[in-house]
Amino acid sequence: MGRTAADVETFDVIILGAGINGAGLFRDLCLQGLKCLIVDKADFGSGTSAAPSRLIHGGIKYLETGELGLVAQSTLERNLLLRNAPHCVEPLATFIPAFSLAKGAWAAFRTLLGSTTAPRSRGALLIKIGLALYDLYGARHRVMPRHRFMLRRRALAEMPEITPRIVAGGIYYDARISRPERLVWELVRDGLDACPQARAMNCTTLVDREEGVLRLRAADGGERRVRAATVVNGAGPWIDHVNAALGVAGKLIGGTKGSHILLRHPDLVKSLKGRMIYFEADDGRICLVYDYLGLALVGSTDTKADDPDTVRCEEDEIDYFLASLRSLLPALPFGREQIVYAYSGIRPLPASDASNPGLISRDHSAPVAEPAAGRPFAVISLVGGKWTTFRGFSEEVADTILARLGRDRTASTQMLPIGGGRGFPTDEAARRAWISRRASESGLPAARIAALLARYGTTADAILAHIHSGGDAPLSHVEDYGRAEIDWIARSEMVVHLADIVMRRTTLAIEGKLTEEGLEEIAAVAAEALGWDEARRAQEVAAVAGRLTAVNRVHL
């Protein structure tokens, strides 16, 4: 029998790619009552969105490239995320050292005028001016203090491990995100909750296109035929590939590679005093190091690259990071044996002929390919952008789509909490009260409640209810995690693979908490929850172990 129109489900909008931009747009459109479908070939937030510097920042470095509008938007969105996602976004004091008094001023001026050579030195004068501007742009919905600037003696008193070569330093405030992959999932979940007709599909590929109908194939082999008047390409570094499959020609993406490593280095973490050091390496490139969940996160490289399927942190990048740290913090030892985890991703930046990858704009755009012969739907591509600005980008694109559909915006996301940020206790007294009440109700230790709150925000309430029904037996080989916690994630959060649990719904992998025994134990819980047989369970364990070893430098 031939297929009929009844086999095809119609949506208002189909979004291909469930990274941070796609997920943010999905939530926004669902809140407006649009019937949306979001599809990802892997898991939600598993591509470039899983490989950031884990910062929510206003982009102080964009001041020197003259992207003042981007700085204004980024500082606003940073402040909003501190309010809307307090369960995983928190302030981060940042120390920026200066190694000269006035160098770089002329080069910075030339860059503002359009030079394609970035300043190779940023002296104290330039940094002081930049920090003052940064405070000015961050004034809207301000939630953090203004900067402080100090000369050498006071700066060394603040950060005594830093090289005495500095002549001054400043302390300003940005933010870090502890669980970016989980926040992507929460955006998708919020969208589904806002619109019961909406659908989300992970591990689902676009097989082909027949005029206006897209054929999708899920991991279990099931197929679905869908259509919409508007298709959004949110595939990040894969945008050009997906556009070709949709019948849209052209090159939009010219990505750059960013790599990071995490070190188990208690002395370094202690010396940071909870701050990030945002510093100029010896070759003029910008690097950073800060405390991420008790480890030292070091990044980031910025080199042209365009193959997201094979990207990984290479040996020469590790050499660069370690050499930069030794130069910055000469009293501390650094070596490969301290590496707990490494990761890398391709930034989906706009195609550019800039000679320096650091000068490629981090701004975003959403070009529209109008319907054409054989393709009766418009394609909107989400080009560029960065983690911090996803909400504003999503709002802009959602307004474009609403206008095309003749619809009005009915809900704003500007002050809307995300996922476990709803009702999150934001001061210490409220946090103690939240934990105390639930410890009393559940009989669980306050420390256990506190750990769940830190990991999941107020979503911890649902996990606590699940624990209440089945007990809180701890995992034997994974410190501070329970079987019921993993079971709830597997059953409730659209998990398809073991990697979804250990790399995205939790931070088990990146924190270096996994051993062979622990991975086997988590897989056993997932297998029971998801109905995997022994062959599937073993396959999932082998896949995760293989990736962690080959790509992330994890030694189980």
Side-chain angles (χ1 to χ4, degrees):
M1 290 179 60
R3 292 190 178 273
T4 68
D7 297 318
V8 180
E9 186 171 5
T10 300
F11 292 87
D12 293 316
V13 181
I14 296 171
I15 301 171
L16 301 177
I20 185 58
N21 287 332
L25 178 61
F26 177 73
R27 180 184 74 141
D28 198 324
L29 292 174
C30 289
L31 284 162
Q32 314 315 318
L34 297 188
K35 180 184 178 183
C36 297
L37 168 67
I38 188 167
V39 179
D40 199 283
K41 69 173 186 176
D43 188 30
F44 310 114
S46 63
T48 293
S49 295
S53 293
R54 297 174 183 264
L55 297 175
I56 299 297
H57 65 103
I60 192 169
K61 69 178 181 179
Y62 309 143
L63 289 172
E64 69 181 14
T65 56
E67 295 182 276
L68 304 184
L70 180 58
V71 175
Q73 183 183 33
S74 298
T75 50
L76 170 64
E77 294 298 336
R78 175 201 65 194
N79 293 348
L80 293 176
L81 271 169
L82 283 162
R83 294 172 182 270
N84 295 334
H87 60 309
C88 61
V89 178
E90 61 183 353
L92 177 62
T94 300
F95 179 82
I96 180 168
F99 296 96
S100 66
L101 288 174
K103 284 183 180 180
W106 172 240
F109 181 69
R110 287 190 293 109
T111 301
L112 284 172
L113 295 179
S115 169
T116 57
T117 303
R120 285 305 184 193
S121 184
R122 299 155 184 90
L125 176 63
L126 200 61
I127 289 172
K128 173 61 181 174
I129 293 171
L131 293 179
L133 285 171
Y134 204 53
D135 280 345
L136 179 65
Y137 279 105
R140 285 186 295 169
H141 299 289
R142 182 186 299 281
V143 291
M144 294 182 293
R146 291 175 172 82
H147 83 276
R148 292 187 288 131
F149 197 77
M150 60 207 82
L151 295 179
R152 180 176 181 273
R153 179 177 295 180
R154 189 174 164 200
L156 286 172
E158 289 277 358
M159 304 294 287
E161 303 294 340
I162 208 162
T163 174
R165 292 186 294 111
I166 66 169
V167 301
I171 294 178
Y172 69 97
Y173 293 83
D174 262 325
R176 61 186 156 199
I177 178 168
S178 57
R179 292 164 173 82
E181 302 92 340
R182 183 164 182 84
L183 193 71
V184 174
W185 156 250
E186 289 186 327
L187 290 166
V188 172
R189 181 71 264 170
D190 283 356
L192 293 171
D193 290 342
C195 181
Q197 292 181 304
R199 297 289 180 268
M201 302 174 67
N202 53 349
C203 298
T204 299
T205 56
L206 172 62
V207 178
D208 61 34
R209 171 180 60 88
E210 304 167 359
E211 291 288 329
V213 176
L214 306 182
R215 185 158 63 96
L216 308 173
R217 181 176 297 145
D220 61 5
E223 293 194 356
R224 191 169 188 168
R225 298 170 75 232
V226 297
R227 65 183 167 201
T230 302
V231 173
V232 175
N233 182 353
W238 294 272
I239 278 179
D240 291 332
H241 176 75
V242 171
N243 270 346
L246 295 174
V248 178
K251 180 174 176 59
L252 295 175
I253 299 298
T256 72
K257 176 186 178 184
S259 294
H260 302 77
I261 58 175
L262 288 102
L263 307 178
R264 182 165 283 121
H265 198 318
D267 290 340
L268 170 58
V269 170
K270 182 180 179 181
S271 76
L272 293 172
K273 300 180 180 178
R275 298 168 179 159
M276 176 170 74
I277 305 178
Y278 185 74
F279 66 100
E280 182 182 293
D282 291 342
D283 64 355
R285 285 189 284 179
I286 294 295
C287 294
L288 56 89
V289 55
Y290 69 94
D291 177 356
Y292 174 78
L293 301 177
L295 302 172
L297 190 152
V298 186
S300 155
T301 52
D302 197 359
T303 56
K304 286 194 174 182
D306 59 6
D307 187 358
D309 291 313
T310 61
V311 66
R312 64 193 60 195
C313 184
E314 304 292 350
E315 293 295 331
D316 62 330
E317 294 176 296
I318 292 173
D319 289 338
Y320 175 77
F321 289 141
L322 296 179
S324 298
L325 289 171
R326 291 178 187 126
S327 179
L328 178 74
L329 302 160
L332 296 175
F334 295 98
R336 276 174 163 72
E337 70 281 358
Q338 297 164 331
I339 297 175
V340 172
Y341 196 86
Y343 65 93
S344 190
I346 302 292
R347 303 176 182 94
L349 304 180
S352 169
D353 58 2
S355 59
N356 186 327
L359 289 180
I360 300 175
S361 175
R362 266 54 173 178
D363 209 345
H364 52 253
S365 63
V368 180
E370 297 292 353
R375 177 176 52 80
F377 52 84
V379 177
I380 302 177
S381 298
L382 307 183
V383 178
K386 60 199 199 76
W387 242 98
T388 306
T389 56
F390 80 85
R391 191 213 62 84
F393 190 14
S394 298
E395 184 177 69
E396 293 168 21
V397 179
D399 286 343
T400 296
I401 292 171
L402 288 168
R404 294 175 68 92
L405 294 174
R407 302 274 290 267
D408 294 325
R409 174 172 287 276
T410 58
S412 171
T413 59
Q414 189 169 93
M415 296 294 182
L416 187 67
I418 300 169
R422 290 187 192 86
F424 187 82
T426 54
D427 60 64
E428 187 56 33
R431 180 179 171 276
R432 284 198 301 267
W434 197 97
I435 292 169
S436 176
R437 177 181 173 185
R438 283 150 182 83
S440 176
E441 292 172 347
S442 67
L444 294 174
R448 175 70 171 135
I449 306 292
L452 292 174
L453 179 64
R455 287 173 196 153
Y456 310 107
T458 53
T459 303
D461 274 331
I463 299 174
L464 286 168
H466 190 65
I467 289 172
H468 180 73
S469 65
D472 192 36
L475 291 171
S476 301
H477 302 286
V478 184
E479 186 180 0
D480 297 330
Y481 278 76
R483 293 181 60 86
E485 179 180 353
I486 300 300
D487 182 74
W488 184 87
I489 291 171
R491 294 178 186 274
S492 306
E493 297 196 332
M494 292 186 67
V495 166
V496 177
H497 294 294
L498 180 61
D500 303 342
I501 297 174
V502 302
M503 300 184 75
R504 286 175 288 279
R505 307 298 185 273
T506 71
T507 52
L508 279 162
I510 197 170
E511 286 187 85
K513 291 195 171 189
L514 291 177
T515 62
E516 288 184 12
E517 296 84 359
L519 192 59
E520 292 278 1
E521 190 175 16
I522 293 168
V525 176
E528 183 177 349
L530 300 173
W532 295 343
D533 60 19
E534 176 55 28
R536 172 69 185 276
R537 187 204 62 77
Q539 180 185 25
E540 292 289 336
V541 170
V544 172
R547 175 180 173 83
L548 290 177
T549 300
V551 177
N552 303 114
R553 304 181 70 93
V554 173
H555 305 290
L556 293 176

